[in-house]
């Protein structure tokens, strides 16, 4: 594995998002002096926040899985997650609402899920679920350490035996078709394939290897931190500071001082010069390339993932609305074609509704709930939609649709607090106005995804959703550890993440 050569005593990390915090904690735990430079006044990056009229709003991801990765981070500096974060399991993980009015609760507990499936689709589908759960678990075991949590220098660095195991499991077949071998009910199958939206690819086009995402939420479980999602970066930053990491907030990096293939220091908008032995860049990929004066040699331009319209909504408190609701439209396959291929909004939208106040009522004023409604949408490179003109109107359509699909749990006394469109994401410097970075097409998967080191630049490592291993909270946290490994080398034989994951999951099950 290629690593940074020479001294690595002082590392500068640009960005205090999850990738940057992960890299900082791993590096600090390995005895490095670390300085984190962040343009915002708080940590979090895309896991953003907004305080508005008494509502504490999470503006970024809302589904937290694989908390053992957080355990690994805190463990790196001799701490425990439970001492920094209160994480509660979300049950049901999701409630699926279908266009015909039926509902289905998704549980990570096997027996409860079997009962739920039997009631919804019959015992044959429940038996199929048992087999699917077994396959998802074997897929995760075969894939996680060797593909998801591994650095690649080239496709040739892939382990042949590991590749053979993944192939034997059907990892390079279609995701939807592979799940269909176990679950034949098309409505039920959506529960195990909708996650392809996170990967930016339609289920029938996505590799079955990405079904590992379905393992993360339908088997390993979904969690929520007290205080909202912002509590995660706050806790990680606090642990990093306690471990000696220095943070420079409200500080923008404008220039890299470079000699030949090595960066010697970063220069900030405020005129500060911070020397470094190595640099971790977690900025958007195009911004990192701009700072490095680098032009990509990829023969084909990168493909951004689809985008999303997000509504932040206040409503009267209603216990009937669960933490996460999947509101499926009838035209499931058409939706992917419309947003990915045709560049237009879904005519029959499928949307995600999250109610964070189900996990922490103090995120909203007394008697009120807070809703986060996400509707997938084309990115700015694919669609020619004038969001400045149509965004508010489309948001009202989505809000009305969400109320209709929720049925008897229709939110009352709603107030639309904020609308975020692809144009708004673009103003935050996100490529093509997509908060999901690069799509996980075959050409942007595993060793074919943009690498986290750039040839000709010896002491700079990239981290975040646009590089290895990909998009989502677990991959981004892993990207920080992969960046640390590039600087220090892996801390020991094998990946510590697996041992920590097994121990922490057993501990959670015991309690």
């Amino acid at each position: 594995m290629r690593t940074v050569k020479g001294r690595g005593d002082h590392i500068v990390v640009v960005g205090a998002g999850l990738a940057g915090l992960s890299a900082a904690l791993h590096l600090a735990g390995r005895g490095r002096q670390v300085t984190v430079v962040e343009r915002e006044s708080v940590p979090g990056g895309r896991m953003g926040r907004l305080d508005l009229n008494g509502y504490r709003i999470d503006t970024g991801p809302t589904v937290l899985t694989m908390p053992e990765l957080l355990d690994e981070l805190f463990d790196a500096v001799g701490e425990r997650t439970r001492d920094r974060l209160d994480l509660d399991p979300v049950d049901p993980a999701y409630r699926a609402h279908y266009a015909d009015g039926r509902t289905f609760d998704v549980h990570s507990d096997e027996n409860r899920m079997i009962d739920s499936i039997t009631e919804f689709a019959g015992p044959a589908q429940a038996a199929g679920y048992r087999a699917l759960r077994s396959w998802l678990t074997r897929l995760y075991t075969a894939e996680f350490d060797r593909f998801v949590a591994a650095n690649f220098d080239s496709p040739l660095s892939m382990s042949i035996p590991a590749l053979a195991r993944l192939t034997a499991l059907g990892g390079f077949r279609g995701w939807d078709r592979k799940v269909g071998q176990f679950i034949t009910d098309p409505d039920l199958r959506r529960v195990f394939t909708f996650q392809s939206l996170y990967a930016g690819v339609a289920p029938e086009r996505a590799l079955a290897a990405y079904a590992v995402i379905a393992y993360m939420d339908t088997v390993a479980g979904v969690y929520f931190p007290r205080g909202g999602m912002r509590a995660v970066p706050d806790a990680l930053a606090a642990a990093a500071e306690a471990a000696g990491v220095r943070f420079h907030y409200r500080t923008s990096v404008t220039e890299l001082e470079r000699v030949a293939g090595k960066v010697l220091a970063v220069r900030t908008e405020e005129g500060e010069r911070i020397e470094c032995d190595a640099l971790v860049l977690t900025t958007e990929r195009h911004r990192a390339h701009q700072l490095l004066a680098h032009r990509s040699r990829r023969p084909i331009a990168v493909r951004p993932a689809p985008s999303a319209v997000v509504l932040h909504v206040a409503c009267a408190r209603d216990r009937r609305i669960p933490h996460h609701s999947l509101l499926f439209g009838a035209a499931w396959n058409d939706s992917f074609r419309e947003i990915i291929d045709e560049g237009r909004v879904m005519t029959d939208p499928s949307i995600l509704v999250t109610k964070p106040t189900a996990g922490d009522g103090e995120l909203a004023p007394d008697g009120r709930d807070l809703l986060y409604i996400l509707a997938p949408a084309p990115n700015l490179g694919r669609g020619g939609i004038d969001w400045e003109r149509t965004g508010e109107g489309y948001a009202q359509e989505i809000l009305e649709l969400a109320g209709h699909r929720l049925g008897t749990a229709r939110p009352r006394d709603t107030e639309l607090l904020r609308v975020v469109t692809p144009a708004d994401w673009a103003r935050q410097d996100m490529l093509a106005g997509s908060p999901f970075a690069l799509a996980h097409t075959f050409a942007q998967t595993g060793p074919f995804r943009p690498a986290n080191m750039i040839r000709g630049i010896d002491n700079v490592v990239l981290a975040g959703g646009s590089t290895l291993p990909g998009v989502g909270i677990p991959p981004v946290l892993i990207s920080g550890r992969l960046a640390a490994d590039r600087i220090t080398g892996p801390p020991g034989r094998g990946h510590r993440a697996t041992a920590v994951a097994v121990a922490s999951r057993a501990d959670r099950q015991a309690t």
Side-chain angles (χ1 to χ4, degrees), residues 80-92:
R80 297 182 303 178
T81 304
R82 70 183 71 171
D83 295 329
R84 292 284 185 181
L85 272 175
D86 290 325
L87 288 179
D88 296 322
V90 175
D91 187 49

Side-chain angles (χ1 to χ4, degrees), residues 357-375:
T357 42
D360 186 347
E362 295 184 3
L363 299 176
D366 288 345
R368 302 291 287 174
D369 270 331
L370 185 59
L371 302 179
Y372 172 109
I373 303 175
L374 183 150

Side-chain angles (χ1 to χ4, degrees), residues 147-226:
F147 295 98
V148 178
N151 271 309
F152 294 103
D153 291 327
S154 76
L156 297 177
S157 62
M158 296 178 71
S159 164
I160 299 302
L163 188 61
R165 283 192 290 272
L166 184 58
T167 303
L169 284 167
F172 295 102
R173 300 177 190 173
W175 184 344
D176 187 67
R177 180 174 297 180
K178 184 63 183 179
V179 172
Q181 292 180 3
F182 306 99
I183 303 290
T184 57
D185 183 289
D187 289 336
L188 181 60
R189 194 160 65 239
R190 293 183 194 179
V191 168
F192 303 99
T193 59
F194 82 89
Q195 298 89 349
S196 68
L197 279 173
Y198 304 149
V201 184
E204 67 270 16
R205 297 181 184 176
L207 293 176
Y210 281 107
V212 71
I213 308 173
Y215 168 88
M216 292 176 182
D217 55 12
T218 67
V219 177
V222 176
Y223 292 79
F224 185 73
R226 294 293 180 92

Side-chain angles (χ1 to χ4, degrees), residues 74-122:
F74 289 111
D75 181 72
V77 291
E79 295 204 26
R80 297 182 303 178
T81 304
R82 70 183 71 171
D83 295 329
R84 292 284 185 181
L85 272 175
D86 290 325
L87 288 179
D88 296 322
V90 175
D91 187 49
Y94 302 96
R95 176 167 297 154
H97 292 253
Y98 295 91
D100 61 6
R102 294 179 302 154
T103 62
F104 170 72
D105 282 356
V106 179
H107 302 281
S108 57
D109 178 80
E110 182 174 4
N111 291 328
R112 294 190 69 189
M113 187 64 159
I114 286 171
D115 290 342
S116 188
I117 291 175
T118 300
E119 182 179 353
F120 180 79

Side-chain angles (χ1 to χ4, degrees), residues 320-403:
R320 295 173 299 174
I321 303 175
H323 200 120
H324 296 295
S325 300
L326 299 168
L327 311 184
F328 289 118
W332 176 242
N333 292 328
D334 290 344
S335 295
F336 290 94
R337 186 189 71 251
E338 289 168 340
I339 63 174
I340 295 174
D341 297 332
E342 299 174 4
R344 58 193 180 98
V345 298
M346 300 174 286
T347 54
D348 182 17
S350 291
I351 57 182
L352 168 69
V353 177
T354 293
K355 188 180 79 171
T357 42
D360 186 347
E362 295 184 3
L363 299 176
D366 288 345
R368 302 291 287 174
D369 270 331
L370 185 59
L371 302 179
Y372 172 109
I373 303 175
L374 183 150
N379 63 47
L380 298 181
R382 179 64 64 177
I385 299 170
D386 183 351
W387 289 107
E388 305 295 345
R389 182 177 61 84
T390 65
E392 289 288 338
Y394 184 65
Q396 290 293 341
E397 293 177 21
I398 292 297
L399 181 58
E400 183 177 345
L401 176 68

Side-chain angles (χ1 to χ4, degrees), residues 399-419:
L399 181 58
E400 183 177 345
L401 176 68
H404 174 73
R405 293 265 177 85
L406 287 168
T408 57
R410 182 187 182 97
R412 297 174 293 109
D413 188 18
T414 59
E415 176 187 1
L416 187 56
L417 300 173
R418 182 66 59 91
V419 177

Side-chain angles (χ1 to χ4, degrees), residues 66-73 140 220 497 500-502 504-505 508:
M66 304 296 289
E68 50 265 37
L69 293 173
L70 295 176
D71 297 337
E72 177 195 2
L73 280 176
Y140 169 80
V500 173
V502 171
S504 62
R505 188 169 299 162
R508 283 194 176 85

